[in-house]
């Protein structure tokens, strides 16, 4: 409705997005756009959806909506343009997840490195810079620590996500 057929919307209702749905979505689209509510629950749903898709090799992107809005309310209130813009200019979801992790605990390098490992390799430089811009850690040290985390992610992404869950 917002993009005149350029995008197809699927509404699994955030945290109810299942592994089966993620598998089906990943089979048809490697870079789906997540457009959750712009509130704490929506951010949690976006992270949940991200990990389901990332473990399948997906690189989901996020439509950045104005705070306290959601896709349906934007359409209902006649703000179709805001939704369209968000869908046409999505940001990599790993950036949002990393930002949330750094906001929660800037010293939690293990979680941050797992997020980086889950991102596409061409994003690792930008991601390590995001950390070094916020925390006083030398970039070469961070890059060196990233290598074994990437190996662990590549051999067992679900185990790495379980590690994150245990840290909460």
């Amino acid at each position: 409705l917002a993009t005149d057929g350029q995008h197809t919307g699927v509404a699994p209702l955030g945290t109810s997005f299942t592994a089966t749905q993620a598998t089906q979505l990943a089979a048809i689209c490697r870079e789906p756009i997540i457009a959750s509510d712009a509130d704490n629950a929506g951010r949690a749903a976006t992270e949940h959806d991200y990990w389901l898709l990332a473990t399948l090799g997906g690189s989901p992107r996020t439509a950045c909506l104005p705070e306290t809005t959601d896709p349906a309310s934007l359409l209902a209130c006649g703000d179709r343009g805001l939704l369209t813009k968000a869908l046409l200019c999505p940001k990599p979801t790993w950036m949002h997840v990393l930002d949330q992790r750094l906001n929660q605990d800037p010293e939690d390098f293990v979680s941050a490195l797992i997020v980086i490992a889950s991102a596409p390799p061409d994003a690792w430089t930008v991601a390590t810079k995001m950390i070094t811009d916020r925390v006083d850690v030398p970039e070469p040290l961070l890059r060196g620590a990233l290598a074994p985390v990437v190996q662990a992610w590549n051999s067992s992404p679900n185990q790495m996500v379980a590690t994150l869950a245990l840290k909460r």
Side-chain angles (χ1 to χ4, degrees):
L1 294 171
T3 61
D4 295 322
Q6 291 178 351
H7 293 86
T8 301
V10 179
L13 302 174
T15 54
S16 68
F17 187 60
T18 67
T20 300
Q21 291 170 321
T23 301
Q24 293 168 342
L25 183 57
I28 59 173
C29 183
R30 183 167 150 42
E31 295 184 339
I33 299 170
I34 300 169
S36 296
D37 296 6
D39 58 16
N40 287 336
R43 284 184 279 280
T46 296
E47 183 168 344
H48 170 266
D49 299 353
Y50 173 75
W51 290 118
L52 285 175
L53 293 163
T55 59
L56 297 168
S59 296
R61 298 165 295 154
T62 298
C64 302
L65 302 176
E67 194 65 32
T68 72
T69 63
D70 64 78
S73 68
L74 289 174
L75 284 175
C77 294
D79 288 331
R80 174 183 165 180
L82 288 174
L83 179 57
T84 301
K85 181 180 177 185
L87 290 170
L88 294 177
C89 301
K91 304 288 186 225
T93 305
W94 68 261
M95 290 179 117
H96 296 281
V97 173
L98 181 58
D99 189 54
Q100 283 179 248
R101 293 284 169 164
L102 292 173
N103 285 340
Q104 289 170 1
D105 184 358
E107 301 297 320
D108 184 1
F109 297 113
V110 173
S111 292
L113 289 172
I114 293 171
V115 174
I116 294 172
S118 71
D122 63 348
W124 294 345
T125 301
V126 171
T128 54
K129 179 100 172 85
M130 281 177 70
I131 295 173
T132 59
D133 284 350
R134 292 168 105 166
V135 183
D136 189 25
V137 175
E139 197 168 337
L141 178 67
L142 204 54
R143 274 190 260 126
L146 179 60
V149 178
V150 168
Q151 289 175 339
W153 175 266
N154 288 340
S155 59
S156 184
N158 288 319
Q159 185 174 351
M160 298 302 286
V161 172
T163 300
L164 288 174
L166 291 174
K167 293 180 77 49
R168 289 191 169 199

